[in-house]
Amino acid sequence: MTLCPFVLSFWHQVVISLPLFVLIILGYSLIRFAKWPTAFTDGVSRFVFSVALPAMLFRMMSDFSKRPPVDARLLIAFFGSCLIVFVIGRIVARKVFDLDGFSGSVFALSGIFSNNVMLGLPLATTILGEEAVPSVALVLVLVFNGLILWTLVTVSVEWARNGSLSLQGFGKTAVGVLKNPLIIGILSGTLFSLTGFSLPDFVDQPVGMLSQAAVPLSLISLGIGLAEYRVRDGWQISAVVCVLKLLVQPLVIWGLAVMLGLPEMETRVVVLLDSMAVGVNLYLMSRQFNVLGGPIAASLLLSTALAALTTPLMGVSL
């Protein structure tokens, strides 16, 4: 009886994933076959990280104060699991791969940052039904995910760069965090939402256009990166990232949800969303900090392929 839902979910995930791979192949072909200069990669990555993604985050946060309240147990389960797996990732990065603070932060984030925008919500709807994705889950995935997780890794990276147990060290870390374009987008959008106003059309429309460009340009940039890196050199890191993302995090959030007494449907939703493949925006962060570009690019492709099996399996077995 579980075979049909699994097969349907698997096929649906494959169909949803195809546009992602088309854009990745396009980026790969521009460098490998069309011989575009590799400097193009840095320009695209910088534009997405410094302009398109901040615009998307600003727009998502601009009406934050008008959104419905979120069940505190959902937040605790979701971000509690993120924090636990992030700490596990930092420990593994240090003890197993001997990575520094920069690389370790990006490695740890790869174990908790899901591709929920393009895959998570459509699959949750397909596997669990329309009632599985209430507005509270939408807020949880699209708003709090960007706010907390980008802030978490930015603080971690800036602490690795400037941190020390002194007032000056904390000050340098705080300044570094506040100068990050993603954090600027999040905070400015949140502050605007507190005014109670809506974005005027002449602002909302161009910001919306920039937001729509963020994901496809990120995927093209990923494809370009695959043409530049020898991704097989970091296959061990990619494999561990997939284990953290596709197995460890869903199990951790399931345990927390059970402990907190979350209703069955909410539990299934958050576990399913946490079982998604690694989010493509993580690759841009690896390029921004110039660490783990090849392994992160490979982990995106590998986790997307593996999630086509593991995510539907979780959806029918929960």
Side-chain angles (χ1 to χ4, degrees):
M1 295 297 293
T2 60
L3 180 61
C4 287
F6 176 81
V7 172
L8 289 174
S9 300
F10 168 76
W11 176 247
H12 193 71
Q13 179 149 344
V14 170
V15 171
I16 293 176
S17 301
L18 282 178
L20 280 68
F21 286 102
V22 169
L23 290 175
I24 292 170
I25 292 171
L26 172 61
Y28 182 90
S29 300
L30 290 177
I31 299 299
R32 185 54 59 91
F33 304 116
K35 304 300 181 182
W36 282 34
T38 55
F40 173 72
T41 310
D42 295 329
V44 172
S45 299
R46 185 176 180 182
F47 172 79
V48 176
F49 191 85
S50 300
V51 179
L53 277 177
M56 182 179 70
L57 292 169
F58 171 82
R59 194 163 186 254
M60 287 194 304
M61 297 302 297
S62 64
D63 63 348
F64 172 73
S65 62
K66 302 176 184 177
R67 295 180 182 270
V70 181
D71 188 334
R73 294 176 300 173
L74 268 175
L75 297 180
I76 295 172
F78 190 85
F79 294 110
S81 71
C82 289
L83 182 59
I84 291 171
V85 178
F86 186 84
V87 172
I88 293 173
R90 286 301 305 266
I91 294 173
V92 171
R94 183 68 175 175
K95 300 296 184 180
V96 177
F97 298 113
D98 195 28
L99 300 178
D100 59 22
F102 292 86
S103 300
S105 298
V106 174
F107 173 87
L109 184 67
S110 66
I112 62 177
F113 199 89
S114 300
N115 191 2
N116 280 323
V117 175
M118 297 191 69
L119 293 178
L121 293 175
L123 275 181
T125 304
T126 300
I127 295 174
L128 302 178
E130 290 287 344
E131 68 277 8
V133 194
S135 59
V136 64
L138 185 64
V139 174
L140 178 67
V141 174
L142 297 184
V143 176
F144 284 104
N145 195 34
L147 173 63
I148 302 297
L149 299 188
W150 283 123
T151 303
L152 175 64
V153 73
T154 303
V155 170
S156 180
V157 168
E158 291 300 332
W159 180 257
R161 177 184 291 155
N162 301 309
S164 62
L165 295 178
S166 66
L167 185 60
Q168 183 180 15
F170 284 112
K172 287 183 177 180
T173 300
V175 170
V177 170
L178 293 174
K179 289 170 61 178
N180 185 284
L182 300 177
I183 305 304
I184 292 173
I186 291 170
L187 293 180
S188 59
T190 303
L191 291 174
F192 180 83
S193 75
L194 297 178
T195 66
F197 295 112
S198 298
L199 288 173
D201 288 342
F202 73 89
V203 174
D204 186 55
Q205 290 182 6
V207 171
M209 293 176 185
L210 286 172
S211 301
Q212 293 173 2
V215 172
L217 285 179
S218 298
L219 292 167
I220 292 173
S221 179
L222 171 59
I224 293 171
L226 289 171
E228 294 179 343
Y229 294 113
R230 290 167 51 91
V231 295
R232 64 180 180 273
D233 291 343
W235 69 267
Q236 299 95 333
I237 291 177
S238 301
V240 174
V241 164
C242 290
V243 171
L244 288 173
K245 185 69 203 67
L246 302 180
L247 296 177
V248 176
Q249 192 187 19
L251 290 176
V252 170
I253 196 170
W254 174 80
L256 288 176
V258 171
M259 290 174 56
L260 292 168
L262 270 182
E264 179 183 357
M265 182 55 71
E266 281 79 357
T267 298
R268 298 178 74 187
V269 169
V270 293
V271 172
L272 191 66
L273 292 174
D274 262 1
S275 71
M276 292 290 125
V278 178
V280 66
N281 293 336
L282 185 64
Y283 171 71
L284 296 175
M285 181 161 280
S286 72
R287 286 195 66 92
Q288 182 72 15
F289 296 120
N290 197 28
V291 293
L292 300 182
I296 295 299
S299 70
L300 291 173
L301 294 178
L302 182 59
S303 65
T304 300
L306 292 175
L309 293 173
T310 58
T311 296
L313 184 61
M314 288 190 178
V316 299
S317 62
L318 286 172

